Amino acid sequence: MGPTTEPTVNDGLPKKMRALQYSKPRDFKVVEIDMPDLGEEDVLVKISACGVCGTDLHFHEGEFMAKFPLIPGHEAAGVVVAIGRRVTTVAVGDRVVADPMEPCRSCFYCVRDQGLLCENMSGYGGTVPGGMAEYCRYPARHVYPIGDLPSLEAVLIEPAACASHGIERMSPKVGSTVLLFGCGPTGMLLAQLLRQNGAANLTIASKGGPKLDLARQLDLADSYVCISDDNPSEDMKAIKTANPHGFDIVVEATGASSVLEQSIFYVRKGGTLVVYGVYDDAAKVAWPPSRIWTYEITVLASFCSTLKFPVVLEYVKTKKLNLKGIVNKTYRIEEWAECLEAVRKQQVVKAAIVFD
């Protein structure tokens, strides 16, 4: 959509802005670029904070739909500072979050109401400029008011939207037993939603460290298994001993193909394995078909989300989703290399880039 000549703006907007920009995989720097053009159905958001997740590590490597030059950032929150002349849903001054996924609405899958599978998907922070910049342009239909929700909690709305899509995909039956491998930020959100949507008994299995510590602190599960680096096989064996029939649902949310490969052996007869993590493009797994066949195991995946922000905001509004404390480290865009390394080494629970 071309720029309009009649945007509604705040006085004093700059002509240039700072942004974190990749010219190619692994090659990034902070640059000064022109402010985005504003279409008649667009809004301009001054970014307050933008969450960092494992997907950003894949973008860094040029994977997962990355299109260069690239301004990353798909978990953004900020303040509307300008609107196109046809925008009526938000106003200048509104604090908002932005849904980063934009289906084309005309491909084979979109016209069959499967927008998440769009063949021409645009992703803010993946294929079009995202929230690792002082300002970002979004279609007005992609932003949602958040009132006084703190920015460092608001950046979790996007991963929570992914979790809500996962809940719909797996459709837990009331009284389900669930094993969740991994308790990263998205796993923490998924755990909360699972316990409110059918999971009567939830076990979290994860490496020790700040993430598992916070999961315990937030009381996210009914039991916890710490998978040690020294003897992980014994810890995994203990899960089977305590649950000889396995679990109705096993969710692999670590993004480690080795864990995914073993997860099938924790699914009970008639149960479901959920492929939830984000894996390297080159990753492979090998499962015995006889196990899937004789146990009648359902294997399904949950990829990202679209149109789930309103659902998540209902949970937030009614205080059924606890977002406090998950973001525990903030960085400026000039500290991106340090931030990436901390995320890669799992030294933080959740990192965010901040501008305010």
Side-chain angles (χ1 to χ4, degrees):
M1 184 178 296
T4 177
T5 58
E6 300 178 34
T8 300
V9 300
N10 272 354
D11 292 336
L13 285 177
K15 302 294 184 183
K16 300 279 187 177
M17 68 176 186
R18 289 180 307 124
L20 174 71
Q21 188 176 71
Y22 280 80
S23 58
K24 60 183 179 180
R26 305 177 192 167
D27 188 356
F28 61 85
K29 61 182 178 180
V30 176
V31 297
E32 187 174 84
I33 58 176
D34 291 337
M35 293 281 282
D37 288 331
L38 195 66
E40 61 184 7
E41 295 181 354
D42 294 337
V43 300
L44 183 66
V45 176
K46 185 178 188 298
I47 304 299
S48 301
C50 189
V52 183
C53 82
T55 302
D56 290 301
L57 297 176
H58 290 272
F59 287 144
H60 176 77
E61 299 293 335
E63 300 176 341
F64 197 60
M65 75 189 282
K67 184 178 180 181
F68 299 93
L70 167 66
I71 297 175
H74 59 280
E75 300 175 352
V79 179
V80 175
V81 293
I83 61 175
R85 63 182 180 86
R86 294 182 61 183
V87 174
T88 60
T89 53
V90 293
V92 169
D94 285 352
R95 299 181 66 251
V96 297
V97 287
D99 187 336
M101 304 300 285
E102 185 172 20
C104 72
R105 297 176 172 79
S106 61
C107 73
F108 177 89
Y109 293 101
C110 282
V111 298
R112 286 161 177 78
D113 196 26
Q114 294 176 290
L116 187 54
L117 305 180
C118 174
E119 295 175 303
N120 308 300
M121 180 73 78
S122 292
Y124 288 83
T127 64
V128 293
M132 299 293 184
E134 292 180 298
Y135 297 85
C136 190
R137 177 200 66 83
Y138 297 101
R141 62 180 175 272
H142 281 245
V143 300
Y144 298 87
I146 56 172
D148 59 359
L149 183 70
S151 296
L152 294 185
E153 295 179 30
V155 298
L156 292 160
I157 300 299
E158 192 278 340
C162 295
S164 70
H165 174 66
I167 295 293
E168 290 191 351
R169 289 284 290 145
M170 65 185 82
S171 299
K173 292 181 180 179
V174 174
S176 293
T177 60
V178 181
L179 172 60
L180 172 62
F181 283 112
C183 61
T186 304
M188 293 182 188
L189 301 169
L190 185 60
Q192 295 182 58
L193 293 173
L194 277 165
R195 295 180 85 184
Q196 296 182 62
N197 289 277
N201 193 320
L202 173 63
T203 297
I204 288 178
S206 171
K207 287 186 176 182
K211 294 178 182 178
L212 185 58
D213 292 343
L214 181 59
R216 292 179 187 272
Q217 180 183 327
L218 295 176
D219 189 28
L220 298 185
D222 299 285
S223 59
Y224 306 85
V225 178
C226 180
I227 308 298
S228 67
D229 290 326
D230 297 332
N231 201 357
S233 59
E234 286 301 311
D235 300 321
M236 298 286 280
K237 185 178 178 180
I239 299 175
K240 288 185 178 180
T241 301
N243 302 273
H245 289 96
F247 297 82
D248 294 307
I249 299 172
V250 177
V251 183
E252 202 304 295
T254 70
S257 57
S258 59
V259 179
L260 177 61
E261 195 163 74
Q262 290 299 310
S263 294
I264 197 81
F265 300 105
Y266 295 83
V267 183
R268 69 175 46 160
K269 292 182 177 181
T272 298
L273 173 61
V274 182
V275 183
Y276 191 83
V278 180
Y279 307 87
D280 294 338
D281 286 351
K284 299 286 190 296
V285 296
W287 289 322
S290 61
R291 178 81 175 196
I292 299 171
W293 176 54
T294 58
Y295 275 42
E296 291 201 338
I297 291 172
T298 299
V299 179
L300 61 84
S302 176
F303 165 68
C304 202
S305 77
T306 56
L307 304 178
K308 296 300 179 191
F309 276 50
V311 172
V312 172
L313 289 168
E314 283 297 318
Y315 279 98
V316 173
K317 181 173 67 176
T318 54
K319 302 187 184 305
K320 294 184 176 67
L321 198 58
N322 188 356
L323 308 177
K324 294 180 180 178
I326 296 179
V327 174
N328 70 330
K329 181 70 174 176
T330 61
Y331 299 85
R332 314 299 291 190
I333 54 173
E334 293 82 4
E335 301 171 306
W336 181 241
E338 179 186 346
C339 176
L340 273 183
E341 193 65 10
V343 173
R344 191 191 317 277
K345 292 182 176 179
Q346 301 187 39
Q347 296 170 335
V348 297
V349 177
K350 176 76 172 178
I353 297 295
V354 294
F355 294 89
D356 291 348

